[in-house]
Amino acid sequence: MYVAKILITLRKTILDPQGKAVEHSLKSLGYDSIKDTRIGKYVELKIDEKDESVARTIADEACRKLLANSVMEDYSFDVIKSEE
Amino acid sequence: MYVAKILITLRKTILDPQGKAVEHSLKSLGYDSIKDTRIGKYVELKIDEKDESVARTIADEACRKLLANSVMEDYSFDVIKSEE
């Protein structure tokens, strides 16, 4: 069993209005040293495979086919062995 | 300058319908070895402080006061030195 921890973020060149809203809220709470805020998605998949390279391939395909929009988003992931 | 990389996830006991929907979609794409899927938020804050412990405190307070709902969500973060 492996756990894939996937981060999906908007590409740097794409405007992030949700991030801007959070940044504004943090500034109005008094946190003036916060300069830039970006919001993304986090997805955790439990993959029931014995081979790590198979689990990596499944995680990568899941990102490309379903989870990430390759025009606007970048993704990265870690695959970690899990006992459960 | 530090970058705080924050993960916010639903607590294990809270039902995650978005995760279930993704799991169902992945299964219908043929990925039968995917057993459990949880969706969370990822937030990246750039914090313009010289001291790492100050940056950590700001990230923690931002989670508690604004980003995470402590009744339903757990959060974790890493604070990393950044040159930009």
Side-chain angles (χ1 to χ4, degrees), chain B residues 32-46:
Chain B
D32 294 317
S33 58
I34 292 177
K35 293 299 172 202
D36 191 27
T37 306
R38 308 278 295 176
I39 310 261
K41 279 178 284 185
Y42 171 65
V43 184
E44 214 176 85
L45 304 177
K46 275 196 188 154

Side-chain angles (χ1 to χ4, degrees), chain A residues 35-78:
Chain A
K35 293 299 172 205
D36 191 25
T37 306
R38 307 277 294 177
I39 310 262
K41 278 178 285 183
Y42 171 64
V43 184
E44 214 175 86
L45 305 178
K46 274 194 188 157
I47 305 172
D48 188 12
E49 295 285 353
K50 285 195 178 127
D51 188 13
E52 186 178 330
S53 68
V54 175
R56 285 199 161 270
T57 306
I58 288 173
D60 192 58
E61 286 183 15
C63 289
R64 277 192 290 113
K65 290 190 186 169
L66 184 76
L67 299 170
N69 169 350
S70 60
V71 178
M72 292 170 65
E73 294 171 329
D74 288 321
Y75 66 87
S76 64
F77 60 85
D78 269 340

Side-chain angles (χ1 to χ4, degrees), chain B residues 2-4 47 49 51-60 77 79:
Chain B
Y2 288 90
V3 176
I47 305 171
E49 295 284 353
D51 188 12
E52 186 179 330
S53 68
V54 174
R56 287 199 161 269
T57 306
I58 288 173
D60 191 60
F77 61 85
V79 171

